[in-house]
Structure formats: structure tokens, C-alpha cells
Amino acid sequence: MRQGHELIQASKAFASEDVAKSWRHVLVTVSLLIGLQVLTLTSLWWPLRAACSVLMGLTTVRMFVLYHDFLHNGILRRSKMAKAIMYPFGVWVLTPPNVWRQTHNYHHAHTAKIVGSHVGSYPMVTIAMWRDMTWPQRMLYRFARHPMNIVLGYVTIFLYGMCFSSFARNPRKNWDSLLALVVHGALTWLLLVYLGVAAWFFGLVLPLTIACASGAYLFYAQHNFEGVHVQPRHEWNYTDAALHSSSFMRLGPIMRWFTANIGYHHVHHLNPTIPFYRLPEAMASIPELQNPSVTSLKLSDIRECFRLKLWDPDQGRMVGFGEV
């Protein structure tokens, strides 16, 4: 079985994009978002407005994965027109390009390291580290990995973490985090003043709540699952982290569309420049990618992912608080 540089080289055959296909995916997704946004703001029948708002939230997840691929240079590399679409989208969805690129690139380079992997990801500690933590540190750790942090991710992870906290940490470098907050505040004010509470809720709050919670859970399950392998820094290996610390999420065709194949996460971590529409092809063609740890959106799998809280190096697996 190939490892290291040889395996990465094998994946490069799938890192070439079909530019026309990339544009087709982007333009279809943007058009759907615009159409759904118009319906959420103008429809007088609230069930239609609510349905469009939910679909808009799920379509935002898809557009976010396309934005994520663009920042990885997976699609539409060096296209100024694509940048003119993607950067405003990142600001609107509370994931401004500067802080996202910093934290997400760090995440790819340090996935599943015991020390340092919390940047751009959820914190992870060993049982021994947990026992040495103070009570406030434990409470923060519990909240970071609690389901409510994901449900409320619109506020806790994106508004506060990605925008307010990043700007407070480095205003000059993360100026677009402030821009995202200002734009979000302006949209809130305009919707409330000119279109009313219903338009604000269905046109902004509900779709972003759904998109942020969905994205936050996908990210959680991609690196916190039964069978995940966590490594100390001195033993860490990039390809091992990609193959054994990133999951494959088994989804039906509808959810694969809404998530733009991000469930093929172990393939993406091996080579993040592979366009999202070529990830299934890469997995089917490279034998080393065909035996990943699998999760899904079944209630039992979601419950199992949330149960896992601490790394037990003696057993070589994640355990729950109740097992300590």
C-alpha cells in the first residue's frame, strides 16, 4: 500500500479541473440561492417562505463547500470573476476569507495532533490533560464539544469565533472579519426596518442558522468519530492523518448534492486541490482510499460522534466523559 509522497502523487491525477463544469456548478448554485432568497423575502404564504428558507440554508452549505474549494485552489484557480463572487459570499456567510484561510490551512497541516489541532477545529485533549485542567477550562472544553455549540453555531462559532474574536485578535490582518459584522448588522437593520420581522427571520436568520449548524456538525463528524486515530506531534504523519483521522460520511444523492461531496473528507484531506466533483472518482480509483472510517447522518451515528470527548492513548481511541 502506498504512503506518503507516493500516495499524494497518485492523487494529483484528480486535481485537474474542468473549468466549464466548475462554472456550471457555481452559477447553478448561486442562481438557486438568489431565487430562494427572493422567495423568502417576497412570499406572503408563510409555509412556502419557511420551505424556501430551509432550502436556502442547505443550498448555502453547498455554496460554502464551493467557496472552500476555491480558497483551496481546487476550482476556478486565479479567476478574478470567481473571486468577485466568492469573497462577498464568504463575508455574507460569516466566514471571511482571511481568517478562514489562516485557520483552515492550519487545520489541514495539523489534523488530529494532540497539541495544536484545536486551531481551526474543535479542541481535543487526552484523559491526562483533562485531569490537569482547571474547572473553567473544563467548562469551556465541554461547551466547545457540546451539541448546543453546534446548534447555536451561527452565533457561537461564526458570529463570535470567526468574526468578532478574529478581529479582536488581529484587527489589521483580519479586517474583513469586521466587514462581515458590519454587513451582517446592516442587513439585519434593513430587513427589520423595510420588510419586517418575518423577512428578517426567514431571509437571514433561519437559513444562516441551518447552514452554520449543518456545517459545524459536518466538520465535527469529519474528525470526531469511532475509529479516529490521534497522534502526538512527534509521531504525526500527513497521509496517516488524512486516511485515519478523517471520516467518509455515507450520504444519499440529495445530501451529497447539498454537501458537495465534502463527505469524502479523507480524500479531500489527502489532496485539498481535488475539485469536489472529482472526489468520488479519486476514491474509486485509489485503493488506499477505499477503506475509511465511515459515519452518516443517522441518529445513532450522530449520537455516537457526540459521545466521544477525550483521547485515551492507552486504548488508542476516543472515549466519553463517563468512561473517565
Side-chain angles (χ1 to χ4, degrees), residues 2 39 81 108 110 142 187 210 227 247 252 283 291 294-295 310 324:
R2 293 167 293 184
L39 286 171
M81 187 179 297
H108 270 263
H110 299 84
R142 280 181 177 273
L187 287 173
I210 291 169
S247 66
M283 181 175 173
N291 293 289
V294 177
T295 186
L310 304 166
V324 179

Side-chain angles (χ1 to χ4, degrees), residues 139-290:
M139 290 302 101
L140 286 173
Y141 184 84
R142 280 181 177 273
F143 177 73
R145 297 181 69 90
H146 195 280
M148 285 308 297
N149 184 38
I150 288 174
V151 172
L152 301 174
Y154 170 34
V155 175
T156 59
I157 297 173
F158 291 87
L159 265 173
Y160 177 76
M162 295 298 295
C163 296
F164 179 81
S165 179
S166 65
F167 179 73
R169 184 172 63 250
N170 193 330
R172 177 175 293 184
K173 193 171 187 178
N174 297 323
W175 61 270
D176 53 354
S177 295
L178 177 62
L179 176 63
L181 291 171
V182 170
V183 168
H184 197 70
L187 287 173
T188 297
W189 181 80
L190 288 169
L191 289 171
L192 286 173
V193 170
Y194 291 101
L195 294 177
V197 173
W200 168 72
F201 177 76
F202 289 116
L204 184 68
V205 175
L206 184 57
L208 280 182
T209 298
I210 291 169
C212 292
S214 300
Y217 178 71
L218 287 170
F219 199 77
Y220 186 93
Q222 285 159 357
H223 303 287
N224 296 271
F225 53 89
E226 185 64 46
V228 65
H229 180 58
V230 180
Q231 304 165 68
R233 293 182 73 91
H234 64 279
E235 296 177 4
W236 190 85
N237 176 278
Y238 178 85
T239 53
D240 281 351
L243 271 57
H244 306 300
S245 306
S246 304
S247 66
F248 168 65
M249 185 172 283
R250 186 174 286 122
L251 300 170
I254 294 175
M255 287 308 298
R256 278 202 304 272
W257 189 88
F258 279 123
T259 59
N261 291 332
I262 200 63
Y264 291 81
H265 208 62
H266 64 302
V267 185
H268 169 69
H269 261 262
L270 178 66
N271 189 337
T273 63
I274 297 175
F276 70 95
Y277 48 80
R278 298 201 67 183
L279 293 173
E281 179 189 358
M283 181 175 173
S285 301
I286 300 176
E288 292 84 353
L289 298 176
Q290 293 169 8

Side-chain angles (χ1 to χ4, degrees), residues 54-66:
V54 171
L55 287 173
M56 184 180 170
L58 293 173
T59 306
T60 300
V61 174
R62 175 179 174 81
M63 187 62 195
F64 180 83
V65 179
L66 272 58

